[in-house]
């Protein structure tokens, strides 16, 4: 069986133009994503947990986990045969379970992913977006921490050449930016001296004072 032509009502084909566009693409990855941001109280009180059978609940949770490694992340293929293979269950059994009101595909609906039709779930999308947001926040935090440490080391190095210059916060920031742009390897003493010379030169040129390098 191909696309979900004989699937539960909420998965039966509709006009492609009426399908929502999935907000994430193939480049939105969580390659080191080894855990779920799982709101357990929300799950414990959900209709799916309270009204579904044990088997349906187990398969439902498996699909959430499996969707984390799909492309785009958080989606499933629009193909009951493929979903059954992913779950390692008999396709006919999966279809019978999915005919239930609270089956394994509860609230999974079709969407457009560029030129492909796939399945998405609002709760899963929310989880993925939260994980992506956390990753970006962590990356920004790490970059800020790394920059702070780099500038502390730079200040100490500059102090070995010019103690007063090392006390100038604007100079340290400017020299760090200059080195970031011009030095793509190991920062030798020669590079530090060139950077400090560039800072001194631009101090006497108002036009260059507004630029880095």
């Amino acid at each position: 069986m191909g696309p979900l032509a004989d699937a539960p009502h909420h998965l039966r084909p509709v006009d492609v133009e009426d399908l929502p566009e999935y907000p994430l693409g193939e480049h939105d990855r969580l390659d080191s994503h080894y855990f779920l941001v799982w709101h357990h109280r929300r799950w414990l009180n959900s209709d799916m947990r309270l009204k579904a059978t044990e088997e349906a609940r187990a398969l439902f949770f498996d699909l959430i986990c499996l969707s984390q490694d799909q492309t785009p992340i958080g989606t499933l293929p629009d193909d009951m045969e493929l979903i059954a293979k992913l779950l390692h269950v008999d396709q006919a059994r999966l279809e019978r379970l999915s005919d239930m009101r609270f089956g394994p595909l509860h609230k999974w609906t079709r969407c457009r992913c560029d030129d492909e039709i796939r399945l998405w779930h609002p709760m899963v999308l929310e989880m993925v977006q939260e994980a992506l947001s956390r990753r970006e926040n962590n990356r920004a935090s790490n970059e800020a921490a790394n920059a702070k440490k780099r500038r502390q080391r730079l200040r100490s190095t500059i102090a070995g050449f010019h103690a007063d210059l090392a006390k100038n916060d604007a100079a340290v920031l400017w020299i760090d930016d200059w080195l970031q742009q011009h030095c793509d390897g190991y920062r030798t003493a020669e590079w530090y001296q060139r950077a400090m010379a560039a800072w001194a030169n631009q101090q006497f040129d108002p036009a260059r004072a507004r630029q880095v390098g």
Side-chain angles (χ1 to χ4, degrees), residues 4 7-8 10-11 38 43 47-49 51-67 74-77 79-80 83-109 119-124:
L4 303 171
H10 66 289
L11 292 179
W38 186 254
W43 164 247
D47 286 347
M48 180 63 197
R49 179 182 174 275
K51 298 180 181 180
T53 65
E54 295 93 334
E55 184 175 15
R57 292 203 307 266
L59 295 177
F60 175 81
F61 184 74
D62 271 4
L63 287 176
I64 291 175
C65 294
L66 288 164
S67 73
T75 66
L76 294 171
D79 189 312
M80 191 68 83
I83 293 175
K85 289 182 181 298
L86 287 171
L87 288 170
H88 300 292
V89 299
D90 179 72
Q91 180 181 341
R93 182 169 184 76
L94 175 62
E95 290 172 353
R96 288 195 298 272
L97 289 169
S98 298
D99 282 334
M100 300 166 58
R101 183 182 175 191
F102 294 97
L105 289 167
H106 181 61
K107 289 191 176 181
W108 285 91
T109 56
L119 305 181
W120 77 292
H121 192 290
M123 181 186 69
V124 177

Side-chain angles (χ1 to χ4, degrees), residues 123-151:
M123 181 186 69
V124 177
L125 175 60
E126 181 181 323
M127 291 165 52
V128 171
Q129 288 178 322
E130 183 174 344
L132 287 168
S133 177
R134 285 170 180 257
R135 183 192 64 180
E136 293 305 314
N137 289 340
N138 288 338
R139 178 180 296 171
S141 178
N142 289 337
E143 289 177 354
N146 290 338
K148 182 178 180 180
K149 292 178 181 178
R150 186 181 67 246
R151 288 165 182 163

